[in-house]
Amino acid sequence: MGCRKISGSGSTSPKSGTPKGEELEIVLRDSALRQSREDVTDQIEECLVQDVDESEWNWQALTRWANSRYNLGLNDKKLRVEPREAIFDLLPGTASSR
């Protein structure tokens, strides 16, 4: 998901203090990154439930979701070798500045 650059002076409106231009682009990008991280966390928690035996974890569902969302070409065998705690950092948009 890309953000298109919003033209503007990069300043704030004197009356409202709302961001404009480049500041708005940064705010939108940060918001999208936060949402992406939340989505990854939700999927990990849904597919790799900590309160159940690891044999019941749904690696295939997590892999299908990650591949459809990020076009990664992963397979569940590749993810299974990683500890659950490391999965978050393997997916795009999650590792930088947690």
Side-chain angles (χ1 to χ4, degrees):
M1 177 173 150
C3 294
R4 66 181 177 90
K5 186 162 183 164
I6 301 170
S7 61
S9 64
S11 63
T12 58
S13 171
K15 290 184 180 178
S16 67
T18 57
K20 286 189 175 182
E22 292 177 11
E23 290 179 33
L24 181 57
E25 183 178 355
I26 292 168
V27 168
L28 292 173
R29 189 177 301 131
D30 287 348
S31 177
L33 182 57
R34 265 192 313 278
Q35 184 62 52
S36 177
R37 289 176 180 160
E38 288 175 18
D39 292 347
V40 169
T41 299
D42 289 347
Q43 286 300 313
I44 291 172
E45 289 176 0
E46 183 176 319
C47 296
L48 310 180
V49 181
Q50 284 186 317
D51 297 341
V52 301
D53 188 69
E54 288 184 27
S55 65
E56 296 181 38
W57 287 359
N58 195 343
W59 289 98
Q60 290 177 332
L62 180 62
T63 304
R64 277 193 306 271
W65 176 84
N67 286 334
S68 68
R69 175 82 182 243
Y70 298 108
N71 196 26
L72 298 175
L74 290 174
N75 62 49
D76 61 305
K77 291 178 185 176
K78 209 175 205 180
L79 288 182
R80 285 176 195 258
V81 298
E82 300 293 334
R84 183 185 188 277
E85 301 77 34
I87 301 299
F88 183 87
D89 291 327
L90 292 175
L91 301 178
T94 59
S96 62
S97 64
R98 269 174 111 177

